[in-house]
Amino acid sequence: MTKLIFEQNSKSGSGMMITTRQATENDKEFLWNLKAAAMRPCVEQVYGWNDEAQYSRFLTSFRPQTVRVIQYDGQDVGMVELLERPEELFIARFE
């Protein structure tokens, strides 16, 4: 598990703990809801949003092996999709 720690400016010195974990098939609903919340406003303005079509596209491209779920103090809050290429690590999505 990758751990990142960010210190907040506070008298107590408490930091927020941000970690990532490997996505699994069990994360499908969370990741769909996240994608819809993050992308719907933009897609609506350009193409219009169709839940069935967007969900179908999501399922077609769902690859949990390339996704890390971002957690804040143990709660799922986001995702990053990383693609390993011969000469680089490509950030495909960050939500």
Side-chain angles (χ1 to χ4, degrees), residues 34-71:
L34 180 65
K35 179 181 181 79
M39 299 303 297
R40 184 180 188 136
C42 296
V43 172
E44 273 182 331
Q45 289 182 13
V46 178
Y47 305 108
W49 182 270
N50 178 297
D51 274 327
E52 283 185 30
Q54 292 297 326
Y55 188 65
S56 178
R57 290 182 72 186
F58 168 77
L59 291 177
T60 300
S61 65
F62 182 63
R63 297 179 306 245
Q65 67 274 16
T66 64
V67 174
R68 304 285 304 174
V69 174
I70 301 168
Q71 297 183 308

PDB file of all heavy atoms in Angstrom, residues 34-71:
ATOM      1  N   LEU A  34     -18.326   7.781  -8.698  1.00  0.00           N
ATOM      2  CA  LEU A  34     -17.283   8.809  -8.727  1.00  0.00           C
ATOM      3  C   LEU A  34     -17.139   9.389 -10.132  1.00  0.00           C
ATOM      4  O   LEU A  34     -17.098  10.601 -10.308  1.00  0.00           O
ATOM      5  CB  LEU A  34     -15.959   8.214  -8.252  1.00  0.00           C
ATOM      6  CG  LEU A  34     -14.765   9.149  -8.232  1.00  0.00           C
ATOM      7  CD1 LEU A  34     -14.966  10.266  -7.213  1.00  0.00           C
ATOM      8  CD2 LEU A  34     -13.501   8.365  -7.924  1.00  0.00           C
ATOM      9  N   LYS A  35     -17.076   8.515 -11.134  1.00  0.00           N
ATOM     10  CA  LYS A  35     -16.950   8.970 -12.518  1.00  0.00           C
ATOM     11  C   LYS A  35     -18.144   9.835 -12.911  1.00  0.00           C
ATOM     12  O   LYS A  35     -17.982  10.892 -13.516  1.00  0.00           O
ATOM     13  CB  LYS A  35     -16.834   7.788 -13.466  1.00  0.00           C
ATOM     14  CG  LYS A  35     -16.720   8.197 -14.921  1.00  0.00           C
ATOM     15  CD  LYS A  35     -16.634   6.984 -15.822  1.00  0.00           C
ATOM     16  CE  LYS A  35     -16.497   7.382 -17.261  1.00  0.00           C
ATOM     17  NZ  LYS A  35     -15.154   7.781 -17.614  1.00  0.00           N
ATOM     18  N   ALA A  36     -19.340   9.393 -12.568  1.00  0.00           N
ATOM     19  CA  ALA A  36     -20.543  10.153 -12.900  1.00  0.00           C
ATOM     20  C   ALA A  36     -20.518  11.530 -12.230  1.00  0.00           C
ATOM     21  O   ALA A  36     -20.820  12.545 -12.863  1.00  0.00           O
ATOM     22  CB  ALA A  36     -21.800   9.375 -12.500  1.00  0.00           C
ATOM     23  N   ALA A  37     -20.130  11.580 -10.972  1.00  0.00           N
ATOM     24  CA  ALA A  37     -20.078  12.864 -10.255  1.00  0.00           C
ATOM     25  C   ALA A  37     -19.009  13.780 -10.829  1.00  0.00           C
ATOM     26  O   ALA A  37     -19.219  14.994 -10.950  1.00  0.00           O
ATOM     27  CB  ALA A  37     -19.818  12.616  -8.764  1.00  0.00           C
ATOM     28  N   ALA A  38     -17.868  13.207 -11.200  1.00  0.00           N
ATOM     29  CA  ALA A  38     -16.751  14.023 -11.696  1.00  0.00           C
ATOM     30  C   ALA A  38     -16.946  14.467 -13.139  1.00  0.00           C
ATOM     31  O   ALA A  38     -16.579  15.586 -13.505  1.00  0.00           O
ATOM     32  CB  ALA A  38     -15.441  13.242 -11.567  1.00  0.00           C
ATOM     33  N   MET A  39     -17.505  13.613 -13.970  1.00  0.00           N
ATOM     34  CA  MET A  39     -17.535  13.875 -15.405  1.00  0.00           C
ATOM     35  C   MET A  39     -18.873  14.368 -15.951  1.00  0.00           C
ATOM     36  O   MET A  39     -18.911  14.989 -17.013  1.00  0.00           O
ATOM     37  CB  MET A  39     -17.127  12.596 -16.158  1.00  0.00           C
ATOM     38  CG  MET A  39     -15.730  12.124 -15.829  1.00  0.00           C
ATOM     39  SD  MET A  39     -14.449  13.373 -16.153  1.00  0.00           S
ATOM     40  CE  MET A  39     -14.602  13.563 -17.915  1.00  0.00           C
ATOM     41  N   ARG A  40     -19.955  14.079 -15.259  1.00  0.00           N
ATOM     42  CA  ARG A  40     -21.278  14.411 -15.789  1.00  0.00           C
ATOM     43  C   ARG A  40     -21.435  15.880 -16.187  1.00  0.00           C
ATOM     44  O   ARG A  40     -21.912  16.171 -17.293  1.00  0.00           O
ATOM     45  CB  ARG A  40     -22.364  14.005 -14.798  1.00  0.00           C
ATOM     46  CG  ARG A  40     -23.745  14.232 -15.337  1.00  0.00           C
ATOM     47  CD  ARG A  40     -24.823  13.810 -14.340  1.00  0.00           C
ATOM     48  NE  ARG A  40     -26.107  13.874 -14.993  1.00  0.00           N
ATOM     49  CZ  ARG A  40     -27.041  12.969 -14.897  1.00  0.00           C
ATOM     50  NH1 ARG A  40     -26.851  11.907 -14.140  1.00  0.00           N
ATOM     51  NH2 ARG A  40     -28.186  13.111 -15.529  1.00  0.00           N
ATOM     52  N   PRO A  41     -21.040  16.836 -15.332  1.00  0.00           N
ATOM     53  CA  PRO A  41     -21.235  18.246 -15.720  1.00  0.00           C
ATOM     54  C   PRO A  41     -20.550  18.612 -17.040  1.00  0.00           C
ATOM     55  O   PRO A  41     -21.139  19.301 -17.874  1.00  0.00           O
ATOM     56  CB  PRO A  41     -20.637  19.025 -14.546  1.00  0.00           C
ATOM     57  CG  PRO A  41     -20.721  18.084 -13.385  1.00  0.00           C
ATOM     58  CD  PRO A  41     -20.496  16.725 -13.974  1.00  0.00           C
ATOM     59  N   CYS A  42     -19.348  18.137 -17.249  1.00  0.00           N
ATOM     60  CA  CYS A  42     -18.620  18.445 -18.491  1.00  0.00           C
ATOM     61  C   CYS A  42     -19.237  17.731 -19.692  1.00  0.00           C
ATOM     62  O   CYS A  42     -19.419  18.331 -20.751  1.00  0.00           O
ATOM     63  CB  CYS A  42     -17.154  18.047 -18.361  1.00  0.00           C
ATOM     64  SG  CYS A  42     -16.261  18.965 -17.105  1.00  0.00           S
ATOM     65  N   VAL A  43     -19.539  16.462 -19.531  1.00  0.00           N
ATOM     66  CA  VAL A  43     -20.096  15.682 -20.630  1.00  0.00           C
ATOM     67  C   VAL A  43     -21.468  16.226 -21.024  1.00  0.00           C
ATOM     68  O   VAL A  43     -21.791  16.312 -22.207  1.00  0.00           O
ATOM     69  CB  VAL A  43     -20.166  14.178 -20.265  1.00  0.00           C
ATOM     70  CG1 VAL A  43     -20.921  13.387 -21.315  1.00  0.00           C
ATOM     71  CG2 VAL A  43     -18.767  13.619 -20.064  1.00  0.00           C
ATOM     72  N   GLU A  44     -22.262  16.605 -20.031  1.00  0.00           N
ATOM     73  CA  GLU A  44     -23.592  17.172 -20.320  1.00  0.00           C
ATOM     74  C   GLU A  44     -23.488  18.395 -21.224  1.00  0.00           C
ATOM     75  O   GLU A  44     -24.276  18.543 -22.158  1.00  0.00           O
ATOM     76  CB  GLU A  44     -24.299  17.568 -19.015  1.00  0.00           C
ATOM     77  CG  GLU A  44     -25.079  16.463 -18.386  1.00  0.00           C
ATOM     78  CD  GLU A  44     -25.806  16.903 -17.129  1.00  0.00           C
ATOM     79  OE1 GLU A  44     -25.339  17.821 -16.427  1.00  0.00           O
ATOM     80  OE2 GLU A  44     -26.846  16.303 -16.851  1.00  0.00           O
ATOM     81  N   GLN A  45     -22.535  19.250 -20.948  1.00  0.00           N
ATOM     82  CA  GLN A  45     -22.387  20.479 -21.731  1.00  0.00           C
ATOM     83  C   GLN A  45     -21.951  20.219 -23.168  1.00  0.00           C
ATOM     84  O   GLN A  45     -22.332  20.944 -24.074  1.00  0.00           O
ATOM     85  CB  GLN A  45     -21.384  21.417 -21.060  1.00  0.00           C
ATOM     86  CG  GLN A  45     -21.905  22.028 -19.789  1.00  0.00           C
ATOM     87  CD  GLN A  45     -20.895  22.984 -19.170  1.00  0.00           C
ATOM     88  OE1 GLN A  45     -19.917  23.373 -19.808  1.00  0.00           O
ATOM     89  NE2 GLN A  45     -21.124  23.357 -17.928  1.00  0.00           N
ATOM     90  N   VAL A  46     -21.160  19.177 -23.380  1.00  0.00           N
ATOM     91  CA  VAL A  46     -20.604  18.924 -24.709  1.00  0.00           C
ATOM     92  C   VAL A  46     -21.461  17.959 -25.521  1.00  0.00           C
ATOM     93  O   VAL A  46     -21.793  18.237 -26.671  1.00  0.00           O
ATOM     94  CB  VAL A  46     -19.157  18.394 -24.599  1.00  0.00           C
ATOM     95  CG1 VAL A  46     -18.583  18.072 -25.955  1.00  0.00           C
ATOM     96  CG2 VAL A  46     -18.277  19.408 -23.865  1.00  0.00           C
ATOM     97  N   TYR A  47     -21.815  16.818 -24.925  1.00  0.00           N
ATOM     98  CA  TYR A  47     -22.503  15.759 -25.671  1.00  0.00           C
ATOM     99  C   TYR A  47     -23.905  15.454 -25.154  1.00  0.00           C
ATOM    100  O   TYR A  47     -24.673  14.795 -25.823  1.00  0.00           O
ATOM    101  CB  TYR A  47     -21.708  14.442 -25.589  1.00  0.00           C
ATOM    102  CG  TYR A  47     -20.283  14.549 -26.033  1.00  0.00           C
ATOM    103  CD1 TYR A  47     -19.245  14.486 -25.122  1.00  0.00           C
ATOM    104  CD2 TYR A  47     -19.964  14.715 -27.372  1.00  0.00           C
ATOM    105  CE1 TYR A  47     -17.921  14.574 -25.525  1.00  0.00           C
ATOM    106  CE2 TYR A  47     -18.645  14.810 -27.792  1.00  0.00           C
ATOM    107  CZ  TYR A  47     -17.637  14.736 -26.863  1.00  0.00           C
ATOM    108  OH  TYR A  47     -16.335  14.830 -27.263  1.00  0.00           O
ATOM    109  N   GLY A  48     -24.188  15.842 -23.935  1.00  0.00           N
ATOM    110  CA  GLY A  48     -25.395  15.368 -23.262  1.00  0.00           C
ATOM    111  C   GLY A  48     -25.045  14.083 -22.514  1.00  0.00           C
ATOM    112  O   GLY A  48     -24.131  13.356 -22.905  1.00  0.00           O
ATOM    113  N   TRP A  49     -25.716  13.831 -21.421  1.00  0.00           N
ATOM    114  CA  TRP A  49     -25.408  12.672 -20.579  1.00  0.00           C
ATOM    115  C   TRP A  49     -26.539  11.656 -20.703  1.00  0.00           C
ATOM    116  O   TRP A  49     -27.699  11.983 -20.508  1.00  0.00           O
ATOM    117  CB  TRP A  49     -25.265  13.110 -19.126  1.00  0.00           C
ATOM    118  CG  TRP A  49     -24.899  12.002 -18.192  1.00  0.00           C
ATOM    119  CD1 TRP A  49     -25.754  11.177 -17.513  1.00  0.00           C
ATOM    120  CD2 TRP A  49     -23.584  11.588 -17.829  1.00  0.00           C
ATOM    121  NE1 TRP A  49     -25.063  10.284 -16.752  1.00  0.00           N
ATOM    122  CE2 TRP A  49     -23.718  10.514 -16.925  1.00  0.00           C
ATOM    123  CE3 TRP A  49     -22.322  12.012 -18.172  1.00  0.00           C
ATOM    124  CZ2 TRP A  49     -22.626   9.868 -16.364  1.00  0.00           C
ATOM    125  CZ3 TRP A  49     -21.232  11.377 -17.603  1.00  0.00           C
ATOM    126  CH2 TRP A  49     -21.385  10.319 -16.702  1.00  0.00           C
ATOM    127  N   ASN A  50     -26.188  10.443 -21.008  1.00  0.00           N
ATOM    128  CA  ASN A  50     -27.128   9.332 -21.071  1.00  0.00           C
ATOM    129  C   ASN A  50     -26.602   8.261 -20.118  1.00  0.00           C
ATOM    130  O   ASN A  50     -25.551   7.662 -20.385  1.00  0.00           O
ATOM    131  CB  ASN A  50     -27.221   8.800 -22.508  1.00  0.00           C
ATOM    132  CG  ASN A  50     -28.140   7.606 -22.616  1.00  0.00           C
ATOM    133  OD1 ASN A  50     -27.871   6.566 -22.028  1.00  0.00           O
ATOM    134  ND2 ASN A  50     -29.204   7.753 -23.372  1.00  0.00           N
ATOM    135  N   ASP A  51     -27.319   8.030 -19.012  1.00  0.00           N
ATOM    136  CA  ASP A  51     -26.832   7.087 -17.989  1.00  0.00           C
ATOM    137  C   ASP A  51     -26.523   5.707 -18.560  1.00  0.00           C
ATOM    138  O   ASP A  51     -25.472   5.136 -18.254  1.00  0.00           O
ATOM    139  CB  ASP A  51     -27.855   6.941 -16.848  1.00  0.00           C
ATOM    140  CG  ASP A  51     -27.693   8.006 -15.780  1.00  0.00           C
ATOM    141  OD1 ASP A  51     -26.559   8.437 -15.520  1.00  0.00           O
ATOM    142  OD2 ASP A  51     -28.712   8.400 -15.196  1.00  0.00           O
ATOM    143  N   GLU A  52     -27.418   5.168 -19.369  1.00  0.00           N
ATOM    144  CA  GLU A  52     -27.197   3.823 -19.917  1.00  0.00           C
ATOM    145  C   GLU A  52     -25.943   3.766 -20.788  1.00  0.00           C
ATOM    146  O   GLU A  52     -25.132   2.854 -20.668  1.00  0.00           O
ATOM    147  CB  GLU A  52     -28.402   3.366 -20.729  1.00  0.00           C
ATOM    148  CG  GLU A  52     -29.561   2.905 -19.877  1.00  0.00           C
ATOM    149  CD  GLU A  52     -30.692   2.339 -20.725  1.00  0.00           C
ATOM    150  OE1 GLU A  52     -30.414   1.782 -21.816  1.00  0.00           O
ATOM    151  OE2 GLU A  52     -31.838   2.455 -20.287  1.00  0.00           O
ATOM    152  N   ALA A  53     -25.799   4.729 -21.670  1.00  0.00           N
ATOM    153  CA  ALA A  53     -24.641   4.753 -22.567  1.00  0.00           C
ATOM    154  C   ALA A  53     -23.348   4.961 -21.785  1.00  0.00           C
ATOM    155  O   ALA A  53     -22.336   4.282 -22.039  1.00  0.00           O
ATOM    156  CB  ALA A  53     -24.809   5.847 -23.624  1.00  0.00           C
ATOM    157  N   GLN A  54     -23.355   5.892 -20.841  1.00  0.00           N
ATOM    158  CA  GLN A  54     -22.148   6.151 -20.059  1.00  0.00           C
ATOM    159  C   GLN A  54     -21.768   4.954 -19.196  1.00  0.00           C
ATOM    160  O   GLN A  54     -20.595   4.612 -19.069  1.00  0.00           O
ATOM    161  CB  GLN A  54     -22.323   7.403 -19.191  1.00  0.00           C
ATOM    162  CG  GLN A  54     -22.414   8.685 -19.989  1.00  0.00           C
ATOM    163  CD  GLN A  54     -21.137   8.972 -20.762  1.00  0.00           C
ATOM    164  OE1 GLN A  54     -20.037   8.666 -20.335  1.00  0.00           O
ATOM    165  NE2 GLN A  54     -21.296   9.583 -21.921  1.00  0.00           N
ATOM    166  N   TYR A  55     -22.777   4.296 -18.604  1.00  0.00           N
ATOM    167  CA  TYR A  55     -22.486   3.127 -17.766  1.00  0.00           C
ATOM    168  C   TYR A  55     -21.945   1.980 -18.612  1.00  0.00           C
ATOM    169  O   TYR A  55     -21.018   1.282 -18.204  1.00  0.00           O
ATOM    170  CB  TYR A  55     -23.730   2.692 -16.985  1.00  0.00           C
ATOM    171  CG  TYR A  55     -23.439   1.615 -15.971  1.00  0.00           C
ATOM    172  CD1 TYR A  55     -22.606   1.871 -14.878  1.00  0.00           C
ATOM    173  CD2 TYR A  55     -23.984   0.346 -16.094  1.00  0.00           C
ATOM    174  CE1 TYR A  55     -22.320   0.882 -13.945  1.00  0.00           C
ATOM    175  CE2 TYR A  55     -23.702  -0.646 -15.163  1.00  0.00           C
ATOM    176  CZ  TYR A  55     -22.876  -0.367 -14.100  1.00  0.00           C
ATOM    177  OH  TYR A  55     -22.587  -1.339 -13.169  1.00  0.00           O
ATOM    178  N   SER A  56     -22.490   1.819 -19.797  1.00  0.00           N
ATOM    179  CA  SER A  56     -21.994   0.785 -20.705  1.00  0.00           C
ATOM    180  C   SER A  56     -20.530   1.040 -21.070  1.00  0.00           C
ATOM    181  O   SER A  56     -19.705   0.116 -21.064  1.00  0.00           O
ATOM    182  CB  SER A  56     -22.857   0.750 -21.967  1.00  0.00           C
ATOM    183  OG  SER A  56     -22.358  -0.202 -22.871  1.00  0.00           O
ATOM    184  N   ARG A  57     -20.193   2.296 -21.360  1.00  0.00           N
ATOM    185  CA  ARG A  57     -18.796   2.650 -21.665  1.00  0.00           C
ATOM    186  C   ARG A  57     -17.899   2.410 -20.454  1.00  0.00           C
ATOM    187  O   ARG A  57     -16.766   1.952 -20.583  1.00  0.00           O
ATOM    188  CB  ARG A  57     -18.704   4.104 -22.105  1.00  0.00           C
ATOM    189  CG  ARG A  57     -19.316   4.346 -23.476  1.00  0.00           C
ATOM    190  CD  ARG A  57     -19.179   5.757 -23.900  1.00  0.00           C
ATOM    191  NE  ARG A  57     -17.778   5.994 -24.235  1.00  0.00           N
ATOM    192  CZ  ARG A  57     -17.271   7.161 -24.547  1.00  0.00           C
ATOM    193  NH1 ARG A  57     -18.039   8.223 -24.575  1.00  0.00           N
ATOM    194  NH2 ARG A  57     -16.001   7.295 -24.840  1.00  0.00           N
ATOM    195  N   PHE A  58     -18.412   2.744 -19.271  1.00  0.00           N
ATOM    196  CA  PHE A  58     -17.654   2.517 -18.036  1.00  0.00           C
ATOM    197  C   PHE A  58     -17.344   1.030 -17.875  1.00  0.00           C
ATOM    198  O   PHE A  58     -16.203   0.646 -17.601  1.00  0.00           O
ATOM    199  CB  PHE A  58     -18.442   3.032 -16.829  1.00  0.00           C
ATOM    200  CG  PHE A  58     -17.884   2.607 -15.507  1.00  0.00           C
ATOM    201  CD1 PHE A  58     -16.765   3.220 -14.966  1.00  0.00           C
ATOM    202  CD2 PHE A  58     -18.476   1.567 -14.792  1.00  0.00           C
ATOM    203  CE1 PHE A  58     -16.238   2.813 -13.743  1.00  0.00           C
ATOM    204  CE2 PHE A  58     -17.964   1.148 -13.578  1.00  0.00           C
ATOM    205  CZ  PHE A  58     -16.845   1.772 -13.053  1.00  0.00           C
ATOM    206  N   LEU A  59     -18.348   0.173 -18.040  1.00  0.00           N
ATOM    207  CA  LEU A  59     -18.147  -1.269 -17.881  1.00  0.00           C
ATOM    208  C   LEU A  59     -17.162  -1.821 -18.903  1.00  0.00           C
ATOM    209  O   LEU A  59     -16.340  -2.682 -18.577  1.00  0.00           O
ATOM    210  CB  LEU A  59     -19.483  -2.007 -17.996  1.00  0.00           C
ATOM    211  CG  LEU A  59     -20.470  -1.784 -16.851  1.00  0.00           C
ATOM    212  CD1 LEU A  59     -21.768  -2.524 -17.139  1.00  0.00           C
ATOM    213  CD2 LEU A  59     -19.883  -2.209 -15.515  1.00  0.00           C
ATOM    214  N   THR A  60     -17.233  -1.320 -20.126  1.00  0.00           N
ATOM    215  CA  THR A  60     -16.336  -1.778 -21.184  1.00  0.00           C
ATOM    216  C   THR A  60     -14.880  -1.459 -20.869  1.00  0.00           C
ATOM    217  O   THR A  60     -13.980  -2.249 -21.158  1.00  0.00           O
ATOM    218  CB  THR A  60     -16.730  -1.144 -22.532  1.00  0.00           C
ATOM    219  OG1 THR A  60     -18.066  -1.529 -22.830  1.00  0.00           O
ATOM    220  CG2 THR A  60     -15.816  -1.582 -23.652  1.00  0.00           C
ATOM    221  N   SER A  61     -14.650  -0.313 -20.248  1.00  0.00           N
ATOM    222  CA  SER A  61     -13.271   0.114 -19.979  1.00  0.00           C
ATOM    223  C   SER A  61     -12.815  -0.161 -18.546  1.00  0.00           C
ATOM    224  O   SER A  61     -11.691   0.181 -18.184  1.00  0.00           O
ATOM    225  CB  SER A  61     -13.127   1.611 -20.286  1.00  0.00           C
ATOM    226  OG  SER A  61     -13.926   2.366 -19.392  1.00  0.00           O
ATOM    227  N   PHE A  62     -13.665  -0.786 -17.719  1.00  0.00           N
ATOM    228  CA  PHE A  62     -13.326  -1.024 -16.311  1.00  0.00           C
ATOM    229  C   PHE A  62     -12.207  -2.055 -16.198  1.00  0.00           C
ATOM    230  O   PHE A  62     -12.355  -3.212 -16.593  1.00  0.00           O
ATOM    231  CB  PHE A  62     -14.568  -1.499 -15.548  1.00  0.00           C
ATOM    232  CG  PHE A  62     -14.327  -1.721 -14.081  1.00  0.00           C
ATOM    233  CD1 PHE A  62     -13.970  -0.664 -13.252  1.00  0.00           C
ATOM    234  CD2 PHE A  62     -14.452  -2.974 -13.528  1.00  0.00           C
ATOM    235  CE1 PHE A  62     -13.754  -0.858 -11.896  1.00  0.00           C
ATOM    236  CE2 PHE A  62     -14.247  -3.186 -12.174  1.00  0.00           C
ATOM    237  CZ  PHE A  62     -13.888  -2.123 -11.362  1.00  0.00           C
ATOM    238  N   ARG A  63     -11.049  -1.606 -15.687  1.00  0.00           N
ATOM    239  CA  ARG A  63      -9.873  -2.460 -15.489  1.00  0.00           C
ATOM    240  C   ARG A  63      -9.326  -2.211 -14.081  1.00  0.00           C
ATOM    241  O   ARG A  63      -8.439  -1.376 -13.887  1.00  0.00           O
ATOM    242  CB  ARG A  63      -8.796  -2.127 -16.523  1.00  0.00           C
ATOM    243  CG  ARG A  63      -9.192  -2.386 -17.952  1.00  0.00           C
ATOM    244  CD  ARG A  63      -8.054  -2.005 -18.891  1.00  0.00           C
ATOM    245  NE  ARG A  63      -7.625  -0.638 -18.660  1.00  0.00           N
ATOM    246  CZ  ARG A  63      -7.745   0.354 -19.535  1.00  0.00           C
ATOM    247  NH1 ARG A  63      -8.262   0.139 -20.716  1.00  0.00           N
ATOM    248  NH2 ARG A  63      -7.334   1.569 -19.255  1.00  0.00           N
ATOM    249  N   PRO A  64      -9.854  -2.908 -13.094  1.00  0.00           N
ATOM    250  CA  PRO A  64      -9.422  -2.628 -11.713  1.00  0.00           C
ATOM    251  C   PRO A  64      -7.924  -2.819 -11.497  1.00  0.00           C
ATOM    252  O   PRO A  64      -7.350  -2.198 -10.605  1.00  0.00           O
ATOM    253  CB  PRO A  64     -10.246  -3.592 -10.868  1.00  0.00           C
ATOM    254  CG  PRO A  64     -10.747  -4.623 -11.793  1.00  0.00           C
ATOM    255  CD  PRO A  64     -10.819  -3.994 -13.155  1.00  0.00           C
ATOM    256  N   GLN A  65      -7.275  -3.629 -12.322  1.00  0.00           N
ATOM    257  CA  GLN A  65      -5.840  -3.874 -12.142  1.00  0.00           C
ATOM    258  C   GLN A  65      -5.000  -2.634 -12.414  1.00  0.00           C
ATOM    259  O   GLN A  65      -3.847  -2.559 -11.989  1.00  0.00           O
ATOM    260  CB  GLN A  65      -5.368  -5.055 -13.009  1.00  0.00           C
ATOM    261  CG  GLN A  65      -5.414  -4.811 -14.490  1.00  0.00           C
ATOM    262  CD  GLN A  65      -6.767  -5.118 -15.146  1.00  0.00           C
ATOM    263  OE1 GLN A  65      -7.791  -5.245 -14.474  1.00  0.00           O
ATOM    264  NE2 GLN A  65      -6.762  -5.224 -16.455  1.00  0.00           N
ATOM    265  N   THR A  66      -5.556  -1.627 -13.099  1.00  0.00           N
ATOM    266  CA  THR A  66      -4.803  -0.404 -13.386  1.00  0.00           C
ATOM    267  C   THR A  66      -5.219   0.766 -12.491  1.00  0.00           C
ATOM    268  O   THR A  66      -4.698   1.861 -12.640  1.00  0.00           O
ATOM    269  CB  THR A  66      -4.979   0.026 -14.858  1.00  0.00           C
ATOM    270  OG1 THR A  66      -6.348   0.352 -15.093  1.00  0.00           O
ATOM    271  CG2 THR A  66      -4.525  -1.062 -15.811  1.00  0.00           C
ATOM    272  N   VAL A  67      -6.153   0.511 -11.571  1.00  0.00           N
ATOM    273  CA  VAL A  67      -6.735   1.587 -10.764  1.00  0.00           C
ATOM    274  C   VAL A  67      -6.311   1.470  -9.310  1.00  0.00           C
ATOM    275  O   VAL A  67      -6.301   0.382  -8.728  1.00  0.00           O
ATOM    276  CB  VAL A  67      -8.283   1.560 -10.864  1.00  0.00           C
ATOM    277  CG1 VAL A  67      -8.917   2.580  -9.923  1.00  0.00           C
ATOM    278  CG2 VAL A  67      -8.725   1.816 -12.298  1.00  0.00           C
ATOM    279  N   ARG A  68      -5.955   2.610  -8.731  1.00  0.00           N
ATOM    280  CA  ARG A  68      -5.719   2.723  -7.291  1.00  0.00           C
ATOM    281  C   ARG A  68      -6.828   3.576  -6.710  1.00  0.00           C
ATOM    282  O   ARG A  68      -7.137   4.648  -7.235  1.00  0.00           O
ATOM    283  CB  ARG A  68      -4.378   3.404  -6.993  1.00  0.00           C
ATOM    284  CG  ARG A  68      -3.149   2.768  -7.601  1.00  0.00           C
ATOM    285  CD  ARG A  68      -2.690   1.514  -6.960  1.00  0.00           C
ATOM    286  NE  ARG A  68      -2.425   1.673  -5.534  1.00  0.00           N
ATOM    287  CZ  ARG A  68      -2.115   0.671  -4.731  1.00  0.00           C
ATOM    288  NH1 ARG A  68      -2.031  -0.557  -5.205  1.00  0.00           N
ATOM    289  NH2 ARG A  68      -1.886   0.873  -3.465  1.00  0.00           N
ATOM    290  N   VAL A  69      -7.467   3.095  -5.654  1.00  0.00           N
ATOM    291  CA  VAL A  69      -8.493   3.859  -4.951  1.00  0.00           C
ATOM    292  C   VAL A  69      -7.781   4.741  -3.929  1.00  0.00           C
ATOM    293  O   VAL A  69      -6.940   4.263  -3.164  1.00  0.00           O
ATOM    294  CB  VAL A  69      -9.517   2.931  -4.258  1.00  0.00           C
ATOM    295  CG1 VAL A  69     -10.499   3.727  -3.413  1.00  0.00           C
ATOM    296  CG2 VAL A  69     -10.261   2.096  -5.305  1.00  0.00           C
ATOM    297  N   ILE A  70      -8.104   6.025  -3.943  1.00  0.00           N
ATOM    298  CA  ILE A  70      -7.513   6.977  -3.006  1.00  0.00           C
ATOM    299  C   ILE A  70      -8.395   7.021  -1.761  1.00  0.00           C
ATOM    300  O   ILE A  70      -9.612   7.149  -1.868  1.00  0.00           O
ATOM    301  CB  ILE A  70      -7.410   8.377  -3.633  1.00  0.00           C
ATOM    302  CG1 ILE A  70      -6.547   8.326  -4.896  1.00  0.00           C
ATOM    303  CG2 ILE A  70      -6.854   9.388  -2.619  1.00  0.00           C
ATOM    304  CD1 ILE A  70      -6.620   9.577  -5.748  1.00  0.00           C
ATOM    305  N   GLN A  71      -7.757   6.906  -0.599  1.00  0.00           N
ATOM    306  CA  GLN A  71      -8.484   6.927   0.662  1.00  0.00           C
ATOM    307  C   GLN A  71      -7.990   8.067   1.543  1.00  0.00           C
ATOM    308  O   GLN A  71      -6.803   8.377   1.558  1.00  0.00           O
ATOM    309  CB  GLN A  71      -8.300   5.607   1.414  1.00  0.00           C
ATOM    310  CG  GLN A  71      -8.865   4.412   0.668  1.00  0.00           C
ATOM    311  CD  GLN A  71      -8.722   3.137   1.466  1.00  0.00           C
ATOM    312  OE1 GLN A  71      -7.629   2.804   1.927  1.00  0.00           O
ATOM    313  NE2 GLN A  71      -9.824   2.429   1.637  1.00  0.00           N
TER     314      GLN A  71
END
